Amino acid sequence: MATQSDFLARNFELTRNLSGSFLAGFEDFASWQFDSIQASITRSSQQLRSIWSDLGAAQEPANWSETVQSGMRNAIKMNRDYLIATTDYQMETLRLIQEMSAEMQQAITEAMNEQLVTIDIVGSRGKRKATALASQKLAA
């Protein structure tokens, strides 16, 4: 009976450890996402201000060629910035997920090692009992 309650306690502990790791990782991930969203909004608003400031120059036909070139430069810069931001976002997401999974893997490995020790202990008890019974039969 003690082995069963010990097994149940270990399962609860494993669940608690996994839940704690998951919640801590999710908290880091969520706060990082909010920071990333805020940085994206700030970057986008700055780029839109730049584009809108160039629209005033588009009123005169003499400035159209310069306005088109400036618009193309801004579009290329925006695409480059978004590509870099997206790549950084994906890399950071993968890093955070990797950290979470490493913590969970460590908790599962520790729990499995504890189970193997318990199995070895129970197995050695069984062998001792079988050896004792065999020696009693031989003595009789």
Side-chain angles (χ1 to χ4, degrees):
M1 184 68 179
T3 305
Q4 290 177 346
S5 64
D6 190 37
F7 176 72
L8 187 61
R10 285 186 182 144
N11 282 336
F12 281 137
E13 184 179 345
L14 173 62
T15 303
R16 184 176 49 87
N17 289 343
L18 289 176
S19 298
S21 294
F22 178 76
L23 289 175
F26 184 75
E27 181 183 6
D28 291 343
F29 186 74
S31 66
W32 172 77
Q33 280 199 327
F34 285 129
D35 292 344
S36 179
I37 289 169
Q38 183 180 7
S40 176
I41 290 171
T42 302
R43 183 177 49 252
S44 297
S45 65
Q46 289 172 349
Q47 289 171 341
L48 285 174
R49 283 187 203 128
S50 174
I51 291 170
W52 286 339
S53 68
D54 290 345
L55 290 178
Q59 299 291 331
E60 300 176 24
N63 295 335
W64 283 356
S65 64
E66 180 62 33
T67 303
V68 169
Q69 288 178 2
S70 176
M72 292 301 289
R73 275 188 242 114
N74 285 337
I76 291 169
K77 184 180 180 220
M78 282 177 57
N79 284 332
R80 180 184 171 276
D81 288 347
Y82 279 118
L83 180 63
I84 291 170
T86 302
T87 303
D88 290 345
Y89 176 83
Q90 289 173 346
M91 294 298 290
E92 185 65 17
T93 299
L94 292 175
R95 187 189 66 77
L96 289 172
I97 290 172
Q98 183 180 19
E99 284 179 5
M100 284 175 51
S101 62
E103 287 178 18
M104 289 183 178
Q105 180 183 8
Q106 181 65 31
I108 290 171
T109 301
E110 289 172 3
M112 294 300 286
N113 286 339
E114 287 177 10
Q115 292 295 336
L116 290 175
V117 168
T118 303
I119 290 169
D120 287 343
I121 291 170
V122 170
S124 66
R125 283 184 199 156
K127 286 180 185 177
R128 277 187 265 153
K129 286 180 183 179
T131 305
L133 287 175
S135 62
Q136 285 176 357
K137 286 182 183 179
L138 287 175

PDB file of all heavy atoms in Angstrom, residues 44-64:
ATOM      1  N   SER A  44       5.929  50.463 -36.910  1.00  0.00           N
ATOM      2  CA  SER A  44       4.971  50.727 -37.991  1.00  0.00           C
ATOM      3  C   SER A  44       4.498  52.172 -37.981  1.00  0.00           C
ATOM      4  O   SER A  44       4.370  52.793 -39.045  1.00  0.00           O
ATOM      5  CB  SER A  44       3.759  49.798 -37.868  1.00  0.00           C
ATOM      6  OG  SER A  44       4.144  48.467 -38.021  1.00  0.00           O
ATOM      7  N   SER A  45       4.253  52.717 -36.800  1.00  0.00           N
ATOM      8  CA  SER A  45       3.792  54.112 -36.745  1.00  0.00           C
ATOM      9  C   SER A  45       4.875  55.066 -37.226  1.00  0.00           C
ATOM     10  O   SER A  45       4.582  56.056 -37.913  1.00  0.00           O
ATOM     11  CB  SER A  45       3.332  54.474 -35.338  1.00  0.00           C
ATOM     12  OG  SER A  45       4.407  54.424 -34.441  1.00  0.00           O
ATOM     13  N   GLN A  46       6.147  54.784 -36.898  1.00  0.00           N
ATOM     14  CA  GLN A  46       7.240  55.630 -37.393  1.00  0.00           C
ATOM     15  C   GLN A  46       7.345  55.556 -38.914  1.00  0.00           C
ATOM     16  O   GLN A  46       7.566  56.567 -39.581  1.00  0.00           O
ATOM     17  CB  GLN A  46       8.556  55.209 -36.745  1.00  0.00           C
ATOM     18  CG  GLN A  46       8.660  55.553 -35.286  1.00  0.00           C
ATOM     19  CD  GLN A  46       9.897  54.953 -34.636  1.00  0.00           C
ATOM     20  OE1 GLN A  46      10.573  54.112 -35.221  1.00  0.00           O
ATOM     21  NE2 GLN A  46      10.185  55.373 -33.410  1.00  0.00           N
ATOM     22  N   GLN A  47       7.171  54.352 -39.452  1.00  0.00           N
ATOM     23  CA  GLN A  47       7.254  54.209 -40.904  1.00  0.00           C
ATOM     24  C   GLN A  47       6.079  54.892 -41.590  1.00  0.00           C
ATOM     25  O   GLN A  47       6.237  55.504 -42.650  1.00  0.00           O
ATOM     26  CB  GLN A  47       7.319  52.733 -41.270  1.00  0.00           C
ATOM     27  CG  GLN A  47       8.645  52.098 -40.889  1.00  0.00           C
ATOM     28  CD  GLN A  47       8.649  50.596 -41.054  1.00  0.00           C
ATOM     29  OE1 GLN A  47       7.610  49.964 -41.124  1.00  0.00           O
ATOM     30  NE2 GLN A  47       9.838  50.017 -41.094  1.00  0.00           N
ATOM     31  N   LEU A  48       4.903  54.814 -40.994  1.00  0.00           N
ATOM     32  CA  LEU A  48       3.747  55.500 -41.588  1.00  0.00           C
ATOM     33  C   LEU A  48       3.908  57.017 -41.536  1.00  0.00           C
ATOM     34  O   LEU A  48       3.528  57.714 -42.479  1.00  0.00           O
ATOM     35  CB  LEU A  48       2.460  55.081 -40.872  1.00  0.00           C
ATOM     36  CG  LEU A  48       1.937  53.688 -41.215  1.00  0.00           C
ATOM     37  CD1 LEU A  48       0.741  53.343 -40.341  1.00  0.00           C
ATOM     38  CD2 LEU A  48       1.556  53.613 -42.689  1.00  0.00           C
ATOM     39  N   ARG A  49       4.481  57.539 -40.474  1.00  0.00           N
ATOM     40  CA  ARG A  49       4.750  58.980 -40.405  1.00  0.00           C
ATOM     41  C   ARG A  49       5.683  59.395 -41.536  1.00  0.00           C
ATOM     42  O   ARG A  49       5.497  60.449 -42.159  1.00  0.00           O
ATOM     43  CB  ARG A  49       5.364  59.343 -39.061  1.00  0.00           C
ATOM     44  CG  ARG A  49       4.383  59.406 -37.948  1.00  0.00           C
ATOM     45  CD  ARG A  49       5.028  59.952 -36.672  1.00  0.00           C
ATOM     46  NE  ARG A  49       4.249  59.495 -35.546  1.00  0.00           N
ATOM     47  CZ  ARG A  49       4.732  58.873 -34.488  1.00  0.00           C
ATOM     48  NH1 ARG A  49       6.020  58.641 -34.395  1.00  0.00           N
ATOM     49  NH2 ARG A  49       3.948  58.510 -33.517  1.00  0.00           N
ATOM     50  N   SER A  50       6.682  58.585 -41.793  1.00  0.00           N
ATOM     51  CA  SER A  50       7.629  58.880 -42.864  1.00  0.00           C
ATOM     52  C   SER A  50       6.930  58.893 -44.219  1.00  0.00           C
ATOM     53  O   SER A  50       7.178  59.767 -45.051  1.00  0.00           O
ATOM     54  CB  SER A  50       8.759  57.855 -42.849  1.00  0.00           C
ATOM     55  OG  SER A  50       9.601  58.037 -43.949  1.00  0.00           O
ATOM     56  N   ILE A  51       6.047  57.928 -44.429  1.00  0.00           N
ATOM     57  CA  ILE A  51       5.320  57.849 -45.706  1.00  0.00           C
ATOM     58  C   ILE A  51       4.370  59.030 -45.853  1.00  0.00           C
ATOM     59  O   ILE A  51       4.281  59.650 -46.919  1.00  0.00           O
ATOM     60  CB  ILE A  51       4.569  56.510 -45.809  1.00  0.00           C
ATOM     61  CG1 ILE A  51       5.571  55.363 -45.968  1.00  0.00           C
ATOM     62  CG2 ILE A  51       3.576  56.514 -46.966  1.00  0.00           C
ATOM     63  CD1 ILE A  51       4.948  53.990 -45.838  1.00  0.00           C
ATOM     64  N   TRP A  52       3.668  59.375 -44.788  1.00  0.00           N
ATOM     65  CA  TRP A  52       2.713  60.477 -44.871  1.00  0.00           C
ATOM     66  C   TRP A  52       3.407  61.816 -45.056  1.00  0.00           C
ATOM     67  O   TRP A  52       2.864  62.714 -45.693  1.00  0.00           O
ATOM     68  CB  TRP A  52       1.836  60.521 -43.631  1.00  0.00           C
ATOM     69  CG  TRP A  52       0.796  59.432 -43.606  1.00  0.00           C
ATOM     70  CD1 TRP A  52       0.318  58.737 -44.677  1.00  0.00           C
ATOM     71  CD2 TRP A  52       0.124  58.924 -42.468  1.00  0.00           C
ATOM     72  NE1 TRP A  52      -0.606  57.814 -44.266  1.00  0.00           N
ATOM     73  CE2 TRP A  52      -0.752  57.907 -42.908  1.00  0.00           C
ATOM     74  CE3 TRP A  52       0.179  59.212 -41.112  1.00  0.00           C
ATOM     75  CZ2 TRP A  52      -1.574  57.210 -42.042  1.00  0.00           C
ATOM     76  CZ3 TRP A  52      -0.645  58.517 -40.254  1.00  0.00           C
ATOM     77  CH2 TRP A  52      -1.503  57.519 -40.715  1.00  0.00           C
ATOM     78  N   SER A  53       4.589  61.954 -44.534  1.00  0.00           N
ATOM     79  CA  SER A  53       5.307  63.215 -44.731  1.00  0.00           C
ATOM     80  C   SER A  53       5.705  63.387 -46.202  1.00  0.00           C
ATOM     81  O   SER A  53       5.779  64.507 -46.704  1.00  0.00           O
ATOM     82  CB  SER A  53       6.530  63.300 -43.830  1.00  0.00           C
ATOM     83  OG  SER A  53       7.502  62.360 -44.224  1.00  0.00           O
ATOM     84  N   ASP A  54       5.944  62.264 -46.895  1.00  0.00           N
ATOM     85  CA  ASP A  54       6.295  62.333 -48.303  1.00  0.00           C
ATOM     86  C   ASP A  54       5.082  62.603 -49.188  1.00  0.00           C
ATOM     87  O   ASP A  54       5.237  63.051 -50.327  1.00  0.00           O
ATOM     88  CB  ASP A  54       6.960  61.038 -48.759  1.00  0.00           C
ATOM     89  CG  ASP A  54       8.352  60.872 -48.176  1.00  0.00           C
ATOM     90  OD1 ASP A  54       8.908  61.876 -47.668  1.00  0.00           O
ATOM     91  OD2 ASP A  54       8.880  59.745 -48.213  1.00  0.00           O
ATOM     92  N   LEU A  55       3.885  62.332 -48.706  1.00  0.00           N
ATOM     93  CA  LEU A  55       2.686  62.546 -49.519  1.00  0.00           C
ATOM     94  C   LEU A  55       2.425  64.022 -49.796  1.00  0.00           C
ATOM     95  O   LEU A  55       1.842  64.372 -50.818  1.00  0.00           O
ATOM     96  CB  LEU A  55       1.459  61.929 -48.835  1.00  0.00           C
ATOM     97  CG  LEU A  55       1.417  60.406 -48.804  1.00  0.00           C
ATOM     98  CD1 LEU A  55       0.178  59.933 -48.053  1.00  0.00           C
ATOM     99  CD2 LEU A  55       1.434  59.842 -50.214  1.00  0.00           C
ATOM    100  N   GLY A  56       2.873  64.893 -48.904  1.00  0.00           N
ATOM    101  CA  GLY A  56       2.704  66.329 -49.129  1.00  0.00           C
ATOM    102  C   GLY A  56       3.477  66.791 -50.357  1.00  0.00           C
ATOM    103  O   GLY A  56       3.028  67.670 -51.093  1.00  0.00           O
ATOM    104  N   ALA A  57       4.621  66.178 -50.611  1.00  0.00           N
ATOM    105  CA  ALA A  57       5.441  66.555 -51.765  1.00  0.00           C
ATOM    106  C   ALA A  57       4.843  66.026 -53.062  1.00  0.00           C
ATOM    107  O   ALA A  57       5.182  66.510 -54.145  1.00  0.00           O
ATOM    108  CB  ALA A  57       6.854  66.023 -51.596  1.00  0.00           C
ATOM    109  N   ALA A  58       3.941  65.061 -52.980  1.00  0.00           N
ATOM    110  CA  ALA A  58       3.354  64.480 -54.190  1.00  0.00           C
ATOM    111  C   ALA A  58       2.294  65.382 -54.805  1.00  0.00           C
ATOM    112  O   ALA A  58       1.796  65.102 -55.892  1.00  0.00           O
ATOM    113  CB  ALA A  58       2.733  63.124 -53.872  1.00  0.00           C
ATOM    114  N   GLN A  59       1.980  66.485 -54.182  1.00  0.00           N
ATOM    115  CA  GLN A  59       0.965  67.399 -54.701  1.00  0.00           C
ATOM    116  C   GLN A  59       1.443  68.112 -55.975  1.00  0.00           C
ATOM    117  O   GLN A  59       0.639  68.439 -56.840  1.00  0.00           O
ATOM    118  CB  GLN A  59       0.613  68.452 -53.633  1.00  0.00           C
ATOM    119  CG  GLN A  59       0.046  67.883 -52.356  1.00  0.00           C
ATOM    120  CD  GLN A  59      -1.342  67.288 -52.567  1.00  0.00           C
ATOM    121  OE1 GLN A  59      -2.085  67.725 -53.428  1.00  0.00           O
ATOM    122  NE2 GLN A  59      -1.665  66.287 -51.762  1.00  0.00           N
ATOM    123  N   GLU A  60       2.724  68.307 -56.088  1.00  0.00           N
ATOM    124  CA  GLU A  60       3.266  69.016 -57.245  1.00  0.00           C
ATOM    125  C   GLU A  60       3.843  68.020 -58.245  1.00  0.00           C
ATOM    126  O   GLU A  60       4.656  67.172 -57.890  1.00  0.00           O
ATOM    127  CB  GLU A  60       4.362  69.980 -56.801  1.00  0.00           C
ATOM    128  CG  GLU A  60       3.867  71.031 -55.822  1.00  0.00           C
ATOM    129  CD  GLU A  60       4.999  71.900 -55.332  1.00  0.00           C
ATOM    130  OE1 GLU A  60       6.019  72.011 -56.029  1.00  0.00           O
ATOM    131  OE2 GLU A  60       4.861  72.442 -54.232  1.00  0.00           O
ATOM    132  N   PRO A  61       3.432  68.121 -59.529  1.00  0.00           N
ATOM    133  CA  PRO A  61       3.919  67.181 -60.538  1.00  0.00           C
ATOM    134  C   PRO A  61       5.446  67.213 -60.730  1.00  0.00           C
ATOM    135  O   PRO A  61       6.033  66.201 -61.091  1.00  0.00           O
ATOM    136  CB  PRO A  61       3.223  67.634 -61.823  1.00  0.00           C
ATOM    137  CG  PRO A  61       2.024  68.393 -61.371  1.00  0.00           C
ATOM    138  CD  PRO A  61       2.396  68.998 -60.057  1.00  0.00           C
ATOM    139  N   ALA A  62       6.085  68.277 -60.424  1.00  0.00           N
ATOM    140  CA  ALA A  62       7.538  68.370 -60.590  1.00  0.00           C
ATOM    141  C   ALA A  62       8.262  67.448 -59.599  1.00  0.00           C
ATOM    142  O   ALA A  62       9.373  66.981 -59.872  1.00  0.00           O
ATOM    143  CB  ALA A  62       7.998  69.812 -60.398  1.00  0.00           C
ATOM    144  N   ASN A  63       7.647  67.154 -58.489  1.00  0.00           N
ATOM    145  CA  ASN A  63       8.280  66.322 -57.462  1.00  0.00           C
ATOM    146  C   ASN A  63       7.868  64.843 -57.544  1.00  0.00           C
ATOM    147  O   ASN A  63       8.282  64.045 -56.691  1.00  0.00           O
ATOM    148  CB  ASN A  63       7.926  66.847 -56.063  1.00  0.00           C
ATOM    149  CG  ASN A  63       8.496  68.224 -55.805  1.00  0.00           C
ATOM    150  OD1 ASN A  63       9.490  68.603 -56.405  1.00  0.00           O
ATOM    151  ND2 ASN A  63       7.854  68.964 -54.927  1.00  0.00           N
ATOM    152  N   TRP A  64       7.085  64.475 -58.526  1.00  0.00           N
ATOM    153  CA  TRP A  64       6.558  63.110 -58.582  1.00  0.00           C
ATOM    154  C   TRP A  64       7.661  62.053 -58.720  1.00  0.00           C
ATOM    155  O   TRP A  64       7.603  61.009 -58.088  1.00  0.00           O
ATOM    156  CB  TRP A  64       5.567  62.961 -59.720  1.00  0.00           C
ATOM    157  CG  TRP A  64       4.210  63.559 -59.398  1.00  0.00           C
ATOM    158  CD1 TRP A  64       3.824  64.109 -58.224  1.00  0.00           C
ATOM    159  CD2 TRP A  64       3.115  63.638 -60.272  1.00  0.00           C
ATOM    160  NE1 TRP A  64       2.541  64.549 -58.306  1.00  0.00           N
ATOM    161  CE2 TRP A  64       2.069  64.285 -59.565  1.00  0.00           C
ATOM    162  CE3 TRP A  64       2.890  63.276 -61.598  1.00  0.00           C
ATOM    163  CZ2 TRP A  64       0.823  64.536 -60.127  1.00  0.00           C
ATOM    164  CZ3 TRP A  64       1.650  63.526 -62.147  1.00  0.00           C
ATOM    165  CH2 TRP A  64       0.615  64.143 -61.429  1.00  0.00           C
TER     166      TRP A  64
END
